[in-house]
Amino acid sequence: MLNAEVKRELTEILGSSYCKDDPQSLVTHSYDGTPMLQSLPELVIYPENTKQVSQVMKVLNHYKIPLIGRGSGTNLCGGTVPVEGGVVMVMHRMNQILEVDIENLTATVQPGLNTKKFSQHVEALGLFYPPDPSSMSISTLGGNIAECSGGLRGLKYGTTKDYVIGLEAVLANGEVIRTGGKLMKDVAGYDVTKLLVGSEGTLAIITEATLKLIPPPQYKKTMLAMYSDLYDAARTVSKIIESRMIPATLEFLDNATLQVVDDYAQLGLPREMEAILIIEQDGDKGSVERDIARITEICHSEQAKQVSVAGSLEEAEKLLTARRSAFTALARLKPTTILEDATVPRSKIADMVLEINRIAKKYNVQICTFGHAGDGNLHPTATTDVRDTDEIHRVEAAFAEIFEATIRLGGTITGEHGVGVVKAPFLEWKVGPAGIEIMKGIKHAFDPNNILNPGKIFAKESRKRVVIQRG
Amino acid sequence: MLNAEVKRELTEILGSSYCKDDPQSLVTHSYDGTPMLQSLPELVIYPENTKQVSQVMKVLNHYKIPLIGRGSGTNLCGGTVPVEGGVVMVMHRMNQILEVDIENLTATVQPGLNTKKFSQHVEALGLFYPPDPSSMSISTLGGNIAECSGGLRGLKYGTTKDYVIGLEAVLANGEVIRTGGKLMKDVAGYDVTKLLVGSEGTLAIITEATLKLIPPPQYKKTMLAMYSDLYDAARTVSKIIESRMIPATLEFLDNATLQVVDDYAQLGLPREMEAILIIEQDGDKGSVERDIARITEICHSEQAKQVSVAGSLEEAEKLLTARRSAFTALARLKPTTILEDATVPRSKIADMVLEINRIAKKYNVQICTFGHAGDGNLHPTATTDVRDTDEIHRVEAAFAEIFEATIRLGGTITGEHGVGVVKAPFLEWKVGPAGIEIMKGIKHAFDPNNILNPGKIFAKESRKRVVIQRG
């Protein structure tokens, strides 16, 4: 119980300006990017350094009070909603780039640093940090690490996990550990670094990260291919990969998404197309030109109705920005937007889209689909209205059936959004009861009192999603 | 205790031909690639499939008898020496390529499959599996996964961990789990896949792995640069990386190693050089030619005495084979060869080599150094004689001081060989007491009875290295 004594101890550590329990602060931190989910914290705190985080943790562990680490709350799995109350710890004050090491091609950063700001900073130094979640203009690196964020470049460059090589983290008991380092190889014991990436704030609080940087590609080219048949688009994806090419980006938008995005971004896309692919290749000029030429051929041979290569960087950027804004564009349609994250082996993309369409029809709900086709990572997105209880139930039933189809096709319930609250009831479908038990064992080893982001990843039978109205 | 009843139960599962306790079998499996370490198992078994592994595990967990998984035993950390007795389980019968999936660019394999055989198989299909540990002509993929093996291509392509995307594994209680899949992205719960890679057989027995394949580079070129000053070579490494180039291979050999390798491989190298670099770049022809030209310039500007680009694939292969044979070549010098695995940030390569040389002189022992300079992964190698007890003690003291220097320079005690028995006493230097506690917690969650490869990773004060004579 967060009583006056606990508040006094926390205020002593943080100072009264960084320890807030006024209604505005509590309400502002009662939800995140996830629709239909809200729960009030008892306190919101803003630590300045690792020492404060450690001191806070000791107090909360002693009193067994939940601690929810939070960056900008852009996640879509309810990852930062304080479903069991407690303290929300916002990392925005710890937002420094501590070092960019040019000799080792690493950067050391604090968790509250904005992703885009960091990305641009290293770009100005002639370096490249590939992870580019669609929320990057708002999100923090700490949040990206906690959720193992992906993005449009995952196919060729991997996700956040592939770039985190060292961490400083505070354990539930307040102890500070350091993992990895400025090291391209490290097998000293279990890989705690990679275990913490994507652990959704349930194992430790990340207070510093060392990230791997790479030389940027020297050239890139973006193209668009449009299809009147979904299978043609999906076959194009398979053919490109089979032809031993890994594009930097290989994005898919279905007809419904296409229309909404075109309304929003005014691209003048042919709205009758069943599917479009946005394809980007980067690297050496010669190989990019060759790949784009070969991909163009493949698109044509797979019955693309229209294929065009962006004539300028601006035109290319416009296409990718349109794709990045798919969520925002869809959110304009109806008051409630539920963006999901089903991932299948990339050879199953067409089957999965057909399944999604079949299921949407069965439950009479509107689901648009777009996503990272090259990764097999699709984002079926329902546009609905929380006030229509009957429709919301149908949407939820449809998504459950979509996850079932994902698993059936050899996929997973989440490719980049995380489990959080939203996917917790489905986790066992992917990892099995023995997998859940092992994960619970890991959780217990790190956090025996279950104070770190409780209620996430592991489902309780009794959980109810709290539905609030939006828009 | 492995009594007659346990043997009877195991024989029932495996059949009597695959359950051996004759002296030859026991002695053959009492040691591995690590010098000065030997301990007899009580039984050697050869399972045929996952079901048998699961049944065996249930029996051994019930009786609390150690189980040591083993591929070809090429590791250099004592990882497969049964230091607490028990059963050695050799995975050689489970050696099939179950599938190469061309559409998804994945392969599914059994753990006993030989690394080189697999590598050549996918190469013939026009695909590429980059991890190339020097032991690859003998090692197994299961062993590579258990130790997270590196190799010469780690700098550009990463290590085994970066290519394992799904696993089937048998837990200590006999339950079978499946992690990941043919998925480029999967954030469904904790990353048990990456946790098992490099866990040295202490958390679970891997019975199947899904590996990521990539398109092969189309072109490669190999070059040699020779230096009369160590710092010039080290500066060359830094300058290459700073110039935003990541070569496929960037290997370093010091003078002592150079001489031995030249004796062995008859390359006609100038034996007075203090250091040589073997550099390979691969990729698109245009970018390879450009990188090799720029690297040549850097070598010259950093005072290389001689720079030569291999004129043919055969010549290039000869250079790399010479490097790969460094261990074998050094092993000819004296009866006992101790190959170590210190890794530092790559900017600290020169400092580390100087430290190694200083320490070797201080303890009056012979240590040659070679390794993956681009990774900062050095292999200081002592050539000695176990029968010379005094010298062996000095060698051990020298290595302890080398590990201390590694940590001081921001490095790690092992970059690719693993902790095993050999590095266990030093693990705390890298990960700290809190790090050890967390790792022990993870171990306990997977293996509460401590039957899986006991005595590895975590040091007991009481352990003694059993010194036997060789050569």
Side-chain angles (χ1 to χ4, degrees):
Chain A
M1 186 55 201
L2 211 163
N3 56 27
E5 168 57 18
V6 180
K7 274 184 200 168
R8 197 195 53 73
E9 288 185 39
L10 294 177
T11 308
E12 208 161 87
I13 295 165
L14 296 149
S16 56
S17 349
Y18 299 112
C19 236
K20 297 186 173 177
D21 61 357
D22 59 286
Q24 290 88 330
S25 296
L26 300 186
V27 170
T28 317
H29 296 90
S30 65
Y31 60 90
D32 58 21
T34 322
M36 305 193 298
L37 205 57
Q38 187 174 34
S39 176
L40 285 175
E42 292 158 87
L43 194 69
V44 181
I45 63 173
Y46 302 82
E48 191 187 4
N49 52 46
T50 304
K51 193 180 165 197
Q52 286 186 355
V53 175
S54 165
Q55 289 171 323
V56 164
M57 203 86 104
K58 279 177 188 160
V59 171
L60 297 181
N61 199 39
H62 175 76
Y63 291 104
K64 300 191 172 58
I65 292 166
L67 178 70
I68 298 89
R70 182 181 169 119
S72 296
T74 52
N75 79 84
L76 296 165
C77 65
T80 46
V81 177
V83 288
E84 300 189 9
V87 177
V88 167
M89 180 162 68
V90 183
M91 305 305 283
H92 282 173
R93 291 174 75 206
M94 295 176 67
N95 63 0
Q96 297 302 300
I97 299 173
L98 300 174
E99 183 195 39
V100 177
D101 181 336
I102 302 289
E103 269 189 290
N104 288 305
L105 297 195
T106 60
T108 303
V109 300
Q110 290 188 310
L113 180 63
N114 171 249
T115 312
K116 191 163 193 179
K117 193 175 162 186
F118 172 68
S119 204
Q120 290 173 336
H121 181 89
V122 301
E123 202 181 313
L125 296 170
L127 289 168
F128 185 33
Y129 176 71
D132 62 341
S134 291
S135 58
M136 67 187 292
S137 57
I138 311 165
S139 71
T140 64
L141 287 168
N144 294 168
I145 293 169
E147 299 291 341
C148 188
S149 302
L152 272 61
R153 300 190 190 114
L155 171 59
K156 183 171 186 173
Y157 290 102
T159 64
T160 302
K161 185 178 300 278
D162 299 297
Y163 295 88
V164 180
I165 57 174
L167 289 172
E168 179 192 78
V170 179
L171 300 176
N173 61 12
E175 290 206 69
V176 180
I177 59 168
R178 283 196 162 268
T179 71
K182 289 181 185 176
L183 299 164
M184 297 304 125
K185 285 174 173 175
D186 178 19
V187 292
Y190 304 137
D191 194 340
V192 176
T193 309
K194 304 287 185 209
L195 182 61
L196 291 182
V197 179
S199 66
E200 307 188 10
T202 64
L203 299 182
I205 296 292
I206 289 154
T207 48
E208 193 182 297
T210 299
L211 305 173
K212 184 170 94 166
L213 305 174
I214 60 173
Q218 294 171 340
Y219 187 78
K220 54 182 159 185
K221 212 137 196 189
T222 308
M223 56 183 285
L224 186 65
M226 308 182 207
Y227 298 83
S228 59
D229 184 294
L230 189 63
Y231 258 104
D232 292 340
R235 246 198 325 272
T236 300
V237 172
S238 291
K239 281 277 159 66
I240 292 170
I241 308 284
E242 272 182 57
S243 305
R244 318 289 188 257
M245 287 181 284
I246 306 285
T249 292
L250 183 34
E251 295 292 309
F252 165 90
L253 278 74
D254 74 356
N255 175 268
T257 314
L258 165 68
Q259 297 207 22
V260 179
V261 166
D262 195 50
D263 280 344
Y264 181 80
Q266 302 291 333
L267 292 168
L269 298 170
R271 307 165 64 105
E272 71 283 6
M273 292 293 162
E274 270 309 304
I276 65 169
L277 296 176
I278 300 174
I279 306 165
E280 183 170 276
Q281 184 56 304
D282 62 15
D284 198 59
K285 187 172 176 184
S287 56
V288 171
E289 296 288 8
R290 193 199 53 225
D291 281 0
I292 291 289
R294 286 173 64 204
I295 293 170
T296 303
E297 265 174 48
I298 292 172
C299 293
H300 283 304
S301 73
E302 296 304 328
Q303 318 303 328
K305 292 299 157 204
Q306 204 180 316
V307 183
S308 58
V309 178
S312 64
L313 273 183
E314 292 66 40
E315 204 184 316
E317 200 43 50
K318 200 172 164 189
L319 274 177
L320 290 170
T321 305
R323 160 58 190 89
R324 272 184 226 281
S325 63
F327 179 35
T328 318
L330 285 164
R332 295 163 79 232
L333 283 187
K334 291 224 192 149
T336 308
T337 313
I338 306 177
L339 174 61
E340 268 307 342
D341 182 36
T343 300
V344 289
R346 54 189 157 213
S347 61
K348 302 292 184 191
I349 284 283
D351 294 342
M352 191 63 216
V353 175
L354 288 184
E355 276 294 87
I356 292 167
N357 292 347
R358 178 189 64 76
I359 292 164
K361 203 169 169 187
K362 172 177 169 187
Y363 289 97
N364 187 29
V365 293
Q366 188 181 8
I367 297 182
C368 306
T369 300
F370 61 96
H372 318 298
D375 289 342
N377 185 190
L378 292 172
H379 294 308
T381 303
T383 54
T384 179
D385 186 340
V386 289
R387 292 162 298 194
D388 185 343
T389 322
D390 179 64
E391 184 171 281
I392 287 291
H393 285 148
R394 282 184 281 119
V395 166
E396 292 186 331
F399 274 125
E401 198 163 327
I402 286 171
F403 300 146
E404 197 281 322
T406 308
I407 297 293
R408 189 161 21 87
L409 292 169
T412 183
I413 54 165
T414 174
E416 58 181 12
H417 290 176
V419 177
V421 180
V422 174
K423 295 293 177 67
F426 303 101
L427 182 60
E428 196 175 310
W429 296 7
K430 171 67 178 75
V431 305
I436 294 269
E437 281 315 303
I438 275 297
M439 289 184 188
K440 281 187 176 168
I442 295 169
K443 167 73 175 171
H444 188 76
F446 278 83
D447 180 21
N449 293 324
N450 193 27
I451 63 160
L452 286 166
N453 211 3
K456 308 302 163 67
I457 299 183
F458 306 107
K460 287 180 193 158
E461 226 72 83
S462 57
R463 177 172 314 114
K464 280 179 192 154
R465 287 174 71 179
V466 183
V467 176
I468 59 156
Q469 190 183 318
R470 277 199 171 179
Chain B
M1 185 56 203
L2 212 163
N3 57 26
E5 169 57 18
V6 180
K7 276 185 202 170
R8 196 195 55 74
E9 288 184 38
L10 293 177
T11 308
E12 207 161 89
I13 296 166
L14 296 149
S16 54
S17 350
Y18 298 112
C19 236
K20 296 186 174 177
D21 60 358
D22 58 288
Q24 290 89 330
S25 296
L26 300 186
V27 170
T28 318
H29 297 90
S30 65
Y31 61 90
D32 58 22
T34 322
M36 305 192 299
L37 204 59
Q38 187 173 34
S39 176
L40 285 174
E42 293 158 87
L43 194 69
V44 181
I45 63 172
Y46 302 82
E48 191 185 4
N49 52 44
T50 304
K51 192 179 168 198
Q52 285 186 355
V53 174
S54 166
Q55 289 171 323
V56 164
M57 203 86 104
K58 279 178 188 160
V59 171
L60 297 180
N61 199 38
H62 176 75
Y63 291 104
K64 300 191 174 52
I65 291 166
L67 178 69
I68 297 91
R70 182 180 170 118
S72 297
T74 52
N75 78 85
L76 296 165
C77 66
T80 45
V81 177
V83 290
E84 300 189 7
V87 177
V88 167
M89 181 163 66
V90 183
M91 304 305 283
H92 282 174
R93 291 174 75 206
M94 294 175 68
N95 63 359
Q96 297 303 300
I97 298 173
L98 300 174
E99 182 194 38
V100 177
D101 181 335
I102 302 288
E103 268 190 289
N104 288 304
L105 297 193
T106 60
T108 303
V109 299
Q110 290 188 311
L113 180 63
N114 172 250
T115 313
K116 192 163 191 178
K117 192 175 164 187
F118 172 67
S119 204
Q120 290 173 336
H121 181 89
V122 299
E123 203 180 312
L125 296 170
L127 289 167
F128 185 33
Y129 176 71
D132 62 340
S134 292
S135 58
M136 67 188 290
S137 57
I138 311 166
S139 72
T140 64
L141 287 167
N144 295 168
I145 294 168
E147 299 292 341
C148 188
S149 302
L152 271 61
R153 300 189 190 116
L155 172 58
K156 183 170 186 173
Y157 291 103
T159 64
T160 302
K161 186 179 299 281
D162 299 297
Y163 295 88
V164 180
I165 57 174
L167 290 172
E168 178 192 78
V170 179
L171 300 176
N173 62 11
E175 290 207 68
V176 180
I177 59 168
R178 284 197 161 267
T179 71
K182 289 181 185 175
L183 300 164
M184 297 304 127
K185 286 173 171 175
D186 178 20
V187 293
Y190 304 137
D191 194 340
V192 176
T193 308
K194 304 288 185 210
L195 182 61
L196 291 182
V197 179
S199 66
E200 308 188 9
T202 65
L203 299 182
I205 296 292
I206 288 155
T207 48
E208 193 182 298
T210 299
L211 305 172
K212 185 171 93 166
L213 304 173
I214 60 173
Q218 293 171 341
Y219 188 77
K220 56 182 157 183
K221 211 139 196 188
T222 308
M223 57 183 285
L224 187 64
M226 308 181 206
Y227 298 83
S228 60
D229 184 293
L230 190 63
Y231 258 105
D232 293 340
R235 247 198 325 273
T236 300
V237 172
S238 291
K239 281 279 161 63
I240 293 170
I241 308 284
E242 273 181 54
S243 304
R244 318 289 189 258
M245 288 181 285
I246 306 284
T249 291
L250 183 34
E251 294 292 309
F252 164 90
L253 278 75
D254 73 358
N255 174 269
T257 313
L258 164 67
Q259 297 208 23
V260 179
V261 166
D262 194 50
D263 279 344
Y264 182 80
Q266 302 289 335
L267 292 168
L269 299 170
R271 304 164 65 104
E272 71 283 6
M273 292 293 164
E274 270 308 304
I276 65 169
L277 296 176
I278 301 173
I279 306 165
E280 183 169 277
Q281 184 57 303
D282 63 14
D284 198 58
K285 187 174 177 183
S287 56
V288 171
E289 296 287 7
R290 193 198 55 226
D291 281 1
I292 291 289
R294 287 172 66 203
I295 292 170
T296 302
E297 267 175 46
I298 292 172
C299 293
H300 283 304
S301 72
E302 296 304 327
Q303 320 300 331
K305 292 300 156 204
Q306 205 180 313
V307 184
S308 58
V309 178
S312 64
L313 272 183
E314 291 67 38
E315 205 184 316
E317 200 41 53
K318 201 173 165 190
L319 274 177
L320 290 169
T321 304
R323 160 57 190 89
R324 272 184 226 280
S325 62
F327 179 35
T328 317
L330 285 164
R332 295 164 76 232
L333 284 187
K334 292 224 191 149
T336 308
T337 312
I338 306 178
L339 173 62
E340 267 307 342
D341 181 37
T343 300
V344 290
R346 53 190 157 212
S347 61
K348 302 292 183 191
I349 284 284
D351 295 343
M352 191 63 215
V353 174
L354 288 184
E355 276 293 89
I356 293 167
N357 293 347
R358 180 189 64 75
I359 292 165
K361 205 170 168 186
K362 172 178 168 185
Y363 289 96
N364 187 28
V365 293
Q366 188 182 9
I367 298 182
C368 306
T369 300
F370 61 95
H372 319 297
D375 288 342
N377 185 190
L378 292 173
H379 294 308
T381 302
T383 54
T384 179
D385 185 340
V386 289
R387 292 162 297 194
D388 185 344
T389 322
D390 179 65
E391 184 171 281
I392 287 291
H393 285 148
R394 282 182 283 119
V395 165
E396 291 186 331
F399 275 125
E401 199 163 326
I402 285 172
F403 300 146
E404 196 281 322
T406 309
I407 297 293
R408 190 162 17 90
L409 292 168
T412 183
I413 55 165
T414 174
E416 58 181 13
H417 290 175
V419 177
V421 180
V422 174
K423 296 293 178 66
F426 303 100
L427 182 60
E428 197 175 309
W429 296 8
K430 172 65 178 76
V431 305
I436 295 269
E437 280 315 302
I438 276 297
M439 289 184 188
K440 281 187 176 167
I442 294 169
K443 166 72 175 172
H444 187 77
F446 277 84
D447 180 22
N449 294 324
N450 193 27
I451 63 159
L452 285 166
N453 210 2
K456 308 301 163 67
I457 298 183
F458 306 107
K460 286 181 194 160
E461 227 73 78
S462 58
R463 178 172 313 115
K464 281 180 191 151
R465 287 172 72 180
V466 184
V467 176
I468 59 152
Q469 191 184 316
R470 274 198 174 179

